[in-house]
Amino acid sequence: MSIALDVKGLSAGVEGKEILDRLDLQVPFGEVHAIMGPNGSGKSTLCHVLTGKEGYLVSGSALLDGRELLDLGVDERARLGLLQSFQYPTEVRGVHLRDFMLEATDERGIAREEAERRIDDEGMRFDVTRFLDRSINDDLSGGEMKRSEIFQMAVLRPKVALLDEIDSGLDVDAVRQVASAVEAMRSPLLGVVMITHYNRILKYLTPDRIHVMIDGRIVDSGDASLADELESGGYEGVRRRLGLELTATTPERRPSDYFTETPFDV
């Protein structure tokens, strides 16, 4: 099975603080992998580093379908097929979703006729057709915004999709809808990394692999039973089982900027 995303020894820090510590992760094409971890474990930083957000001191390797990402700019990584959904999508007034997708598909080299077909087909599949001729995320609920982002990925057909806390702030019905949309994304040409704090979304979809991230590293990986362990014993329970140092301090937090998905984010 070929590997969509192959991360080896990835370390990253900012302002003298190490956030990612020699992290290893492999996601094959055709699979959905969930990364779970407490606040401050580096989950969002992993997304930022992979997509090329500036300000981090980075070492290690991250291959997308065999191509090194870390020496490329943000736009080059996107053209190679790496896309990220935002934890809190932003409304873009005056830019219609259909027009935005036509521009994005043109940038990806997709012919206009094919782009229009994909927009119509995926719009119906993800129930966003009624949003196409409105400003992006204009007056949408949290679940509708998340579905819209998954629709955008389905049209652009990336090789790797990073879903950063896609269930954040959603009610039960919206979580179910988003989980169904993630399952609908599955493709032998796509690897999905889904980041979440809780296992509630895992009640409605079945990832191929679950990874636990603590202190900037993947410390354990397994099947759905690992999420059940986290639900019953929490991350401190995993620390005890693995013999990791228990922490009683709150991780240092730093203010976000315009492109950061959470008000305070590490």
Side-chain angles (χ1 to χ4, degrees):
M1 183 179 296
S2 58
I3 303 300
L5 180 65
D6 190 3
V7 178
K8 293 181 179 177
L10 184 62
S11 295
V14 62
E15 299 175 356
K17 174 181 172 61
E18 185 177 62
I19 304 172
L20 301 182
D21 180 19
R22 296 164 293 168
L23 183 143
D24 296 326
L25 175 67
Q26 275 195 346
V27 181
F29 281 106
E31 293 192 0
V32 175
H33 286 215
I35 297 180
M36 304 180 69
N39 286 329
S41 60
K43 303 183 304 299
S44 290
T45 293
L46 174 61
C47 286
H48 295 163
V49 170
L50 290 176
T51 54
K53 188 173 186 291
E54 295 181 350
Y56 295 96
L57 182 63
V58 179
S59 63
S61 175
L63 304 180
L64 189 154
D65 195 18
R67 175 74 183 274
E68 180 61 60
L69 291 173
L70 299 184
D71 57 356
L72 301 177
V74 175
D75 59 330
E76 294 173 293
R77 300 182 196 202
R79 289 190 186 96
L80 276 180
L82 179 67
L83 293 182
Q84 176 185 351
S85 70
F86 290 99
Q87 184 176 351
Y88 297 108
T90 301
E91 180 181 343
V92 184
R93 293 181 180 273
V95 179
H96 288 185
L97 180 57
R98 185 189 303 274
D99 295 337
F100 172 73
M101 294 310 302
L102 288 173
E103 288 289 337
T105 51
D106 183 63
E107 181 67 24
R108 290 290 299 273
I110 301 170
R112 177 57 64 99
E113 184 177 353
E114 171 66 12
E116 291 174 345
R117 184 190 65 78
R118 290 188 192 182
I119 291 169
D120 290 340
D121 290 350
E122 302 298 352
M124 289 188 291
R125 183 157 74 116
F126 292 102
D127 192 25
V128 300
T129 300
R130 62 189 184 280
F131 308 144
L132 289 174
D133 297 310
R134 289 163 54 177
S135 294
I136 297 172
N137 295 326
D138 177 28
D139 199 28
L140 301 189
S141 69
E144 289 169 340
M145 288 184 185
K146 302 299 176 72
R147 284 210 320 274
S148 176
E149 292 222 317
I150 293 175
F151 152 78
Q152 294 167 41
M153 289 185 171
V155 171
L156 295 173
R157 298 182 184 174
K159 294 180 178 179
V160 172
L162 305 176
L163 311 180
D164 188 10
E165 298 195 27
I166 197 166
D167 55 340
S168 178
L170 303 184
D171 61 29
V172 172
D173 289 337
V175 169
R176 186 182 297 110
Q177 293 170 4
V178 169
S180 176
V182 173
E183 286 286 3
M185 287 180 67
R186 284 186 181 269
S187 162
L189 302 178
L190 172 68
V192 177
V193 177
M194 183 180 68
I195 291 173
T196 183
H197 279 297
Y198 310 107
N199 75 345
R200 61 177 185 161
I201 194 171
L202 304 183
K203 296 177 181 178
Y204 307 110
L205 65 84
T206 305
D208 298 279
R209 196 81 171 154
I210 294 174
H211 308 279
V212 178
M213 188 172 181
I214 294 177
D215 298 335
R217 303 181 72 179
I218 301 293
V219 299
D220 201 7
S221 301
D223 56 19
S225 63
L226 188 52
D228 295 335
E229 178 186 350
L230 289 172
E231 182 74 9
S232 61
Y235 294 105
E236 295 303 294
V238 173
R239 284 183 180 275
R240 293 188 188 94
R241 174 170 61 80
L242 297 176
L244 301 176
E245 181 181 356
L246 297 179
T247 59
T249 59
T250 301
E252 178 185 350
R253 301 193 300 176
R254 57 186 174 80
S256 67
D257 62 22
Y258 181 81
F259 293 103
T260 303
E261 294 78 44
T262 53
F264 290 92
D265 181 62
V266 294

Short mmCIF file of all heavy atoms in Angstrom, two decimals, residues 187-224:
data_model
loop_
_atom_site.label_atom_id
_atom_site.label_comp_id
_atom_site.label_asym_id
_atom_site.label_seq_id
_atom_site.Cartn_x
_atom_site.Cartn_y
_atom_site.Cartn_z
N SER A 187 -11.38 7.69 -0.43
CA SER A 187 -10.98 7.42 -1.80
C SER A 187 -9.63 6.73 -1.79
O SER A 187 -8.79 7.02 -0.93
CB SER A 187 -10.89 8.73 -2.59
OG SER A 187 -10.13 8.56 -3.78
N PRO A 188 -9.39 5.81 -2.72
CA PRO A 188 -8.07 5.17 -2.79
C PRO A 188 -6.96 6.14 -3.18
O PRO A 188 -5.79 5.79 -3.12
CB PRO A 188 -8.27 4.09 -3.86
CG PRO A 188 -9.44 4.53 -4.67
CD PRO A 188 -10.33 5.24 -3.70
N LEU A 189 -7.33 7.37 -3.56
CA LEU A 189 -6.35 8.38 -3.96
C LEU A 189 -6.16 9.45 -2.89
O LEU A 189 -5.53 10.47 -3.14
CB LEU A 189 -6.79 9.03 -5.27
CG LEU A 189 -6.99 8.09 -6.46
CD1 LEU A 189 -7.48 8.87 -7.67
CD2 LEU A 189 -5.73 7.32 -6.78
N LEU A 190 -6.71 9.21 -1.69
CA LEU A 190 -6.69 10.23 -0.64
C LEU A 190 -6.33 9.63 0.71
O LEU A 190 -6.81 8.56 1.08
CB LEU A 190 -8.07 10.89 -0.54
CG LEU A 190 -8.31 11.85 0.63
CD1 LEU A 190 -7.48 13.11 0.47
CD2 LEU A 190 -9.80 12.19 0.74
N GLY A 191 -5.46 10.33 1.45
CA GLY A 191 -5.21 10.01 2.85
C GLY A 191 -5.75 11.13 3.71
O GLY A 191 -5.55 12.31 3.40
N VAL A 192 -6.45 10.79 4.79
CA VAL A 192 -7.09 11.78 5.65
C VAL A 192 -6.50 11.73 7.05
O VAL A 192 -6.39 10.64 7.64
CB VAL A 192 -8.62 11.56 5.72
CG1 VAL A 192 -9.26 12.57 6.69
CG2 VAL A 192 -9.25 11.68 4.35
N VAL A 193 -6.13 12.90 7.57
CA VAL A 193 -5.70 13.04 8.97
C VAL A 193 -6.75 13.89 9.67
O VAL A 193 -6.94 15.05 9.33
CB VAL A 193 -4.32 13.72 9.08
CG1 VAL A 193 -3.95 13.90 10.56
CG2 VAL A 193 -3.26 12.91 8.35
N MET A 194 -7.45 13.29 10.63
CA MET A 194 -8.52 13.96 11.35
C MET A 194 -8.09 14.17 12.80
O MET A 194 -7.83 13.21 13.52
CB MET A 194 -9.80 13.14 11.30
CG MET A 194 -10.99 13.80 11.96
SD MET A 194 -12.46 12.77 11.86
CE MET A 194 -11.98 11.42 12.94
N ILE A 195 -8.01 15.43 13.21
CA ILE A 195 -7.58 15.76 14.57
C ILE A 195 -8.80 16.07 15.43
O ILE A 195 -9.70 16.80 15.01
CB ILE A 195 -6.62 16.96 14.53
CG1 ILE A 195 -5.30 16.54 13.88
CG2 ILE A 195 -6.37 17.52 15.92
CD1 ILE A 195 -4.34 17.67 13.64
N THR A 196 -8.83 15.50 16.63
CA THR A 196 -9.97 15.71 17.51
C THR A 196 -9.53 15.57 18.96
O THR A 196 -8.54 14.90 19.28
CB THR A 196 -11.11 14.73 17.20
OG1 THR A 196 -12.23 15.02 18.04
CG2 THR A 196 -10.68 13.29 17.42
N HIS A 197 -10.28 16.23 19.85
CA HIS A 197 -10.04 16.08 21.30
C HIS A 197 -10.79 14.88 21.86
O HIS A 197 -10.33 14.21 22.77
CB HIS A 197 -10.55 17.32 22.05
CG HIS A 197 -9.61 18.48 22.02
ND1 HIS A 197 -8.36 18.43 22.57
CD2 HIS A 197 -9.76 19.72 21.50
CE1 HIS A 197 -7.77 19.61 22.39
NE2 HIS A 197 -8.59 20.40 21.75
N TYR A 198 -12.00 14.63 21.31
CA TYR A 198 -12.92 13.69 21.92
C TYR A 198 -13.28 12.57 20.96
O TYR A 198 -13.08 12.67 19.75
CB TYR A 198 -14.20 14.43 22.35
CG TYR A 198 -13.92 15.67 23.15
CD1 TYR A 198 -14.11 16.94 22.59
CD2 TYR A 198 -13.46 15.60 24.45
CE1 TYR A 198 -13.86 18.09 23.32
CE2 TYR A 198 -13.20 16.75 25.19
CZ TYR A 198 -13.40 17.98 24.63
OH TYR A 198 -13.13 19.12 25.33
N ASN A 199 -13.86 11.52 21.49
CA ASN A 199 -14.19 10.39 20.64
C ASN A 199 -15.64 10.41 20.16
O ASN A 199 -16.09 9.45 19.55
CB ASN A 199 -13.90 9.07 21.36
CG ASN A 199 -14.93 8.73 22.42
OD1 ASN A 199 -15.71 9.58 22.83
ND2 ASN A 199 -14.92 7.49 22.88
N ARG A 200 -16.36 11.52 20.39
CA ARG A 200 -17.78 11.51 20.02
C ARG A 200 -17.97 11.38 18.53
O ARG A 200 -18.90 10.68 18.08
CB ARG A 200 -18.48 12.77 20.54
CG ARG A 200 -17.94 14.08 19.99
CD ARG A 200 -18.74 15.27 20.49
NE ARG A 200 -18.28 16.50 19.86
CZ ARG A 200 -19.00 17.61 19.82
NH1 ARG A 200 -20.19 17.64 20.38
NH2 ARG A 200 -18.52 18.70 19.24
N ILE A 201 -17.09 11.98 17.71
CA ILE A 201 -17.25 11.84 16.27
C ILE A 201 -16.93 10.42 15.83
O ILE A 201 -17.43 9.94 14.81
CB ILE A 201 -16.38 12.86 15.50
CG1 ILE A 201 -16.81 12.94 14.03
CG2 ILE A 201 -14.88 12.53 15.62
CD1 ILE A 201 -16.16 14.05 13.25
N LEU A 202 -16.12 9.71 16.63
CA LEU A 202 -15.76 8.34 16.28
C LEU A 202 -16.92 7.37 16.49
O LEU A 202 -16.83 6.20 16.10
CB LEU A 202 -14.55 7.89 17.11
CG LEU A 202 -13.31 8.79 16.98
CD1 LEU A 202 -12.15 8.20 17.77
CD2 LEU A 202 -12.92 8.99 15.52
N LYS A 203 -18.00 7.85 17.11
CA LYS A 203 -19.20 7.02 17.24
C LYS A 203 -19.94 6.91 15.91
O LYS A 203 -20.77 6.03 15.74
CB LYS A 203 -20.13 7.60 18.30
CG LYS A 203 -19.53 7.61 19.71
CD LYS A 203 -20.47 8.27 20.70
CE LYS A 203 -19.86 8.29 22.10
NZ LYS A 203 -20.74 8.98 23.09
N TYR A 204 -19.63 7.83 14.99
CA TYR A 204 -20.36 7.90 13.73
C TYR A 204 -19.47 7.61 12.51
O TYR A 204 -19.97 7.60 11.39
CB TYR A 204 -21.01 9.27 13.58
CG TYR A 204 -21.85 9.66 14.76
CD1 TYR A 204 -21.45 10.68 15.62
CD2 TYR A 204 -23.04 8.99 15.04
CE1 TYR A 204 -22.21 11.03 16.72
CE2 TYR A 204 -23.81 9.33 16.13
CZ TYR A 204 -23.39 10.35 16.98
OH TYR A 204 -24.16 10.68 18.07
N LEU A 205 -18.18 7.43 12.72
CA LEU A 205 -17.30 7.00 11.64
C LEU A 205 -16.22 6.10 12.24
O LEU A 205 -15.97 6.14 13.44
CB LEU A 205 -16.70 8.18 10.88
CG LEU A 205 -15.73 9.13 11.59
CD1 LEU A 205 -14.31 8.60 11.59
CD2 LEU A 205 -15.75 10.50 10.91
N THR A 206 -15.59 5.32 11.39
CA THR A 206 -14.58 4.37 11.86
C THR A 206 -13.26 4.65 11.18
O THR A 206 -13.05 4.26 10.02
CB THR A 206 -15.02 2.92 11.57
OG1 THR A 206 -16.31 2.69 12.14
CG2 THR A 206 -14.02 1.94 12.16
N PRO A 207 -12.34 5.32 11.86
CA PRO A 207 -11.01 5.54 11.27
C PRO A 207 -10.25 4.23 11.17
O PRO A 207 -10.48 3.29 11.95
CB PRO A 207 -10.34 6.51 12.25
CG PRO A 207 -11.04 6.30 13.54
CD PRO A 207 -12.46 5.93 13.20
N ASP A 208 -9.35 4.17 10.21
CA ASP A 208 -8.53 2.97 10.06
C ASP A 208 -7.49 2.85 11.15
O ASP A 208 -7.05 1.75 11.48
CB ASP A 208 -7.85 2.99 8.68
CG ASP A 208 -8.85 2.99 7.55
OD1 ASP A 208 -9.35 1.90 7.21
OD2 ASP A 208 -9.15 4.08 7.03
N ARG A 209 -7.12 4.00 11.73
CA ARG A 209 -6.08 4.00 12.76
C ARG A 209 -6.30 5.20 13.67
O ARG A 209 -6.69 6.27 13.20
CB ARG A 209 -4.70 4.10 12.10
CG ARG A 209 -3.53 3.74 12.99
CD ARG A 209 -3.34 2.26 13.08
NE ARG A 209 -2.09 1.92 13.76
CZ ARG A 209 -1.90 0.78 14.40
NH1 ARG A 209 -2.87 -0.12 14.46
NH2 ARG A 209 -0.75 0.52 14.99
N ILE A 210 -6.06 5.00 14.96
CA ILE A 210 -6.14 6.09 15.93
C ILE A 210 -4.76 6.27 16.55
O ILE A 210 -4.11 5.30 16.95
CB ILE A 210 -7.18 5.80 17.02
CG1 ILE A 210 -8.59 5.76 16.41
CG2 ILE A 210 -7.12 6.85 18.13
CD1 ILE A 210 -9.66 5.35 17.38
N HIS A 211 -4.32 7.53 16.61
CA HIS A 211 -3.02 7.85 17.20
C HIS A 211 -3.23 8.77 18.40
O HIS A 211 -4.07 9.68 18.35
CB HIS A 211 -2.12 8.56 16.18
CG HIS A 211 -1.97 7.83 14.89
ND1 HIS A 211 -1.10 6.78 14.71
CD2 HIS A 211 -2.61 8.00 13.69
CE1 HIS A 211 -1.18 6.34 13.47
NE2 HIS A 211 -2.09 7.07 12.83
N VAL A 212 -2.48 8.54 19.46
CA VAL A 212 -2.52 9.41 20.63
C VAL A 212 -1.27 10.28 20.62
O VAL A 212 -0.15 9.78 20.54
CB VAL A 212 -2.58 8.60 21.94
CG1 VAL A 212 -2.56 9.55 23.15
CG2 VAL A 212 -3.82 7.74 21.97
N MET A 213 -1.49 11.59 20.71
CA MET A 213 -0.40 12.56 20.67
C MET A 213 -0.27 13.23 22.04
O MET A 213 -1.24 13.80 22.55
CB MET A 213 -0.65 13.60 19.59
CG MET A 213 0.51 14.54 19.34
SD MET A 213 0.16 15.55 17.86
CE MET A 213 1.66 16.51 17.78
N ILE A 214 0.88 13.12 22.64
CA ILE A 214 1.16 13.72 23.94
C ILE A 214 2.55 14.35 23.89
O ILE A 214 3.50 13.74 23.40
CB ILE A 214 1.09 12.68 25.08
CG1 ILE A 214 -0.34 12.14 25.23
CG2 ILE A 214 1.57 13.27 26.40
CD1 ILE A 214 -0.49 11.05 26.27
N ASP A 215 2.65 15.58 24.37
CA ASP A 215 3.94 16.27 24.46
C ASP A 215 4.68 16.29 23.12
O ASP A 215 5.89 16.11 23.05
CB ASP A 215 4.83 15.61 25.52
CG ASP A 215 4.22 15.70 26.91
OD1 ASP A 215 3.41 16.60 27.16
OD2 ASP A 215 4.55 14.83 27.75
N GLY A 216 3.91 16.52 22.04
CA GLY A 216 4.53 16.70 20.74
C GLY A 216 4.95 15.44 20.02
O GLY A 216 5.64 15.52 19.00
N ARG A 217 4.52 14.27 20.51
CA ARG A 217 4.89 13.02 19.86
C ARG A 217 3.68 12.09 19.77
O ARG A 217 2.76 12.17 20.58
CB ARG A 217 6.00 12.30 20.64
CG ARG A 217 7.26 13.11 20.84
CD ARG A 217 8.32 12.34 21.61
NE ARG A 217 8.91 11.29 20.78
CZ ARG A 217 9.88 10.47 21.19
NH1 ARG A 217 10.35 10.56 22.43
NH2 ARG A 217 10.38 9.57 20.38
N ILE A 218 3.70 11.20 18.77
CA ILE A 218 2.73 10.11 18.72
C ILE A 218 3.25 9.03 19.66
O ILE A 218 4.29 8.42 19.41
CB ILE A 218 2.59 9.54 17.29
CG1 ILE A 218 2.13 10.63 16.31
CG2 ILE A 218 1.62 8.36 17.29
CD1 ILE A 218 0.74 11.14 16.53
N VAL A 219 2.53 8.80 20.76
CA VAL A 219 3.03 7.87 21.78
C VAL A 219 2.35 6.52 21.71
O VAL A 219 2.85 5.53 22.28
CB VAL A 219 2.85 8.47 23.20
CG1 VAL A 219 3.65 9.76 23.33
CG2 VAL A 219 1.38 8.70 23.52
N ASP A 220 1.21 6.42 21.02
CA ASP A 220 0.52 5.14 20.91
C ASP A 220 -0.40 5.18 19.70
O ASP A 220 -0.89 6.24 19.31
CB ASP A 220 -0.29 4.86 22.17
CG ASP A 220 -0.61 3.37 22.36
OD1 ASP A 220 -0.08 2.55 21.57
OD2 ASP A 220 -1.36 3.03 23.30
N SER A 221 -0.61 4.03 19.10
CA SER A 221 -1.49 3.91 17.94
C SER A 221 -2.27 2.60 18.05
O SER A 221 -1.77 1.61 18.62
CB SER A 221 -0.70 3.92 16.62
OG SER A 221 0.05 5.11 16.48
N GLY A 222 -3.49 2.59 17.53
CA GLY A 222 -4.29 1.37 17.60
C GLY A 222 -5.61 1.53 16.90
O GLY A 222 -5.82 2.45 16.10
N ASP A 223 -6.55 0.63 17.24
CA ASP A 223 -7.87 0.65 16.63
C ASP A 223 -8.84 1.41 17.53
O ASP A 223 -8.44 2.16 18.42
CB ASP A 223 -8.35 -0.77 16.35
CG ASP A 223 -8.36 -1.64 17.61
OD1 ASP A 223 -8.36 -1.08 18.73
OD2 ASP A 223 -8.37 -2.88 17.47
N ALA A 224 -10.14 1.19 17.31
CA ALA A 224 -11.15 1.94 18.04
C ALA A 224 -11.08 1.72 19.55
O ALA A 224 -11.54 2.57 20.33
CB ALA A 224 -12.54 1.57 17.52
#
